[in-house]
Amino acid sequence: MSEQGAAGDEYDVIVVGSGGGLIGAYTAASHGLRTLVIEKTPYVGGTTSYSGAGIWLPGNAAEQRAGVEDSPEAARPYLDAIIGDDAPVALREAFLQAGPRMIDELEQNPLFQWFEWKGVPDYFEGRPGSLAQGRTVFPPDFPRAELGSLEPLLRRPLWTERWGVHPGLQLIGGQALIGRALLAYMETGNGSLRVNTALQSLLVEDGRVAGVVALQDGEQVTFRARRGVILAAGGYERNGELRRSFQPAVGDEWTQGCEGNTGDALTAGIAVGAATDLLEEAWYAPGLVVPDTRPVFYTSVWSGIWVNGEGERFMNERLPYDRAGHEMLRLGQLSTHWVFDQRQLDNERAFATLPVAPEVPGWFDVEKFVEAGVLKRADTLEELAELIGVPAAALIKSVDQFNGYARAGKDEQFGRGEAPWDLMVTHLAGAHTDGPNPVLGVIDKGPFYAATIVLSDLGTKGGLRTDEHARVLRTDGSTITGLYASGNTMAPMSGRIYAGAGVPVGSSMAFSYIAALDLAEQG
């Protein structure tokens, strides 16, 4: 087992990026292919290591163990209905067929035993094939010490990077998934890893991709690949220039993506003739503005309402996060006011049990937030309106109207509290009201507060076009021999939508796996 590959070495497969691409690297190495993973940053894991590691793969073994009646065939009409023509049918069919097979193969290795189903509803309720109980599975926690000498290579949790808290003795969520994958990959005996190694360009010989040119610790190195290269280096969310080019309304300052995700693999693919699609898209999510760091990924409100600059409510604040982000973008509400009352703060669970809450004790420090100016506080709604610069009469009207809905138990304006996702979120947070619908608590207990919600994202999602084998395509539809893509480097099989919790991680894993199998079958 080696953590280093010698400069200039030749491999069967080279994987660029160490998030979901590690599953492809493990698959290639476990099938006997000499494999190299190069990672731009000092740490393995990318944005996947920040995630909760939800994995959306219809019909997998973990669902079956939990008694969930599901299959690729059951999920097909759901994806067909919500994706439509935004992505090729062949891609989602490949994804559906590969998911259960991948989980079965992974679970043959004790390091991947056993994935666990947890009830997270699909994000588009009422569509054909949608499951209210959800399809998302998760890796079990993993003792950090099990990584041994590999442990320093693992990217720290997001909250450790941002707040400096201890990373913990147990790897959870994305940390557990990456830790398990890294160890499994290295234990194959066919895997090498080079960190601090940034892709510069693809090596093309006789019309095929034959390797990569990279910069390692300031020195240019070339690695050759006998069979092919898998580009799995995330999106371009941390590249301000590319975002201004493809997503002019959205900058890079509010993203949750890993700092290494600057689109190097995307631009390298384009340079050798790759076609692209959906570059204007991202995995959007509301972000709560906090002091001294990037916004916190905030799946939805527990109580209160969002109002625009006119003091008017404009959407269902509990939409699944990507749907909420797209609605904010559609309406041009890239920054909005979250107005709530003291009830929100009295419910300790409402902040402590966010689905992706910071693992930081007391992270929502009211006095610190007020002092920093990211949270406004006032004894009356009139005073709060003045602090946030909206018309007082409009804000009072919006709150009064919502309070009427809360007391009646039905949001007549936007239908908040009717979908399985809404109810799941409420269950996690705990009801903050004894009203007929806990999702619609009244806003009447001063003092009143206003925080800022901005349009954040978990990464960009447009990328290189591929076929159902994850082979990168040219603009004329032909394949670029030896080049594959997955994850956020690849134009997504899910098109413009986010079907359910774990689609980004699940599809990244699945297409990395598909690519590795295609490479292994070349013989």
Side-chain angles (χ1 to χ4, degrees), residues 275-298:
T276 62
D277 199 9
L278 297 173
L279 290 177
E280 70 279 13
E281 280 292 339
W283 304 100
Y284 287 116
L288 173 66
V289 175
V290 300
D292 305 324
T293 189
R294 289 174 180 264
V296 170
F297 171 31
Y298 195 42

Side-chain angles (χ1 to χ4, degrees), residues 123-124 284-287 298-301 306 314-331 333-334 336 421 453-456 498:
Y123 289 168
F124 289 82
Y284 287 116
Y298 195 42
T299 54
S300 64
V301 302
W306 292 351
F314 58 92
M315 64 177 285
N316 173 6
E317 302 88 350
R318 282 182 182 255
L319 283 174
Y321 43 92
D322 184 72
R323 289 181 61 187
H326 274 91
E327 186 68 358
M328 292 173 71
L329 183 63
R330 184 183 72 84
L331 296 172
Q333 297 294 330
L334 305 189
T336 191
W421 167 263
I453 301 294
V454 296
L455 179 61
S456 182
Y498 200 144

